[in-house]
Amino acid sequence: MSHQQPEPNPETSVDDEWAAMERWLIESTGNMPTGAVLDVGPAGARVDDDGADVECAQIQALGADTYLIRLSTTVMSAPLLASFVVSRDVLDRWFHDDTFADCTHGFLMSRSRGRVAEIAVAWFRDRCGFAGPDDLGCSYEEPVRLPRSVARQSVVERQGYP
């Protein structure tokens, strides 16, 4: 997965640059394994500043080609989810009822990478007023795979049957 946005081209318009960011997000999220998290925010922002306002978007890959996007004006940690499976009745609905304590502007789950990318671009371009995507940076976190400490045994072996 590419962790860097496309390099700005002096011959392209700002609209073209935002469109390129949207395409990059669509491609990048398509390569994320379940549980991976992509954070996007201002380039050079210090995340260790307590209480600092930082406009950010966070995309997490869920199961069944579903993505969770959260928007906030404070730095978010990866959500602790009980499951990566989402029922169809909650897809593409905007939730803004304080489900996550650190998410001040809501979240949406969708199977449309294009919709997720559009939301992220609109957040930074229209709501936050960034001049262009070259003012943004990102971080990417792979899911942690824990090693198994005990080899699996069949039920027959565990119960002592011959």
Side-chain angles (χ1 to χ4, degrees), residues 40-42 52-58 69-77 94 100-107 123-124 127-128:
V40 183
D53 288 343
V54 178
E55 295 95 350
C56 50
Q58 184 179 79
I69 181 167
R70 301 190 304 153
L71 305 175
S72 184
T73 53
T74 58
V75 175
M76 297 176 280
S77 58
W94 187 248
F100 295 108
D102 62 354
C103 187
T104 60
H105 295 280
F107 67 96
W123 171 252
F124 291 112
R127 166 61 168 74
C128 301

Side-chain angles (χ1 to χ4, degrees), residues 12-20 125:
T12 61
S13 71
V14 173
D15 289 338
D16 291 339
E17 291 174 11
W18 285 116
R125 181 190 60 215

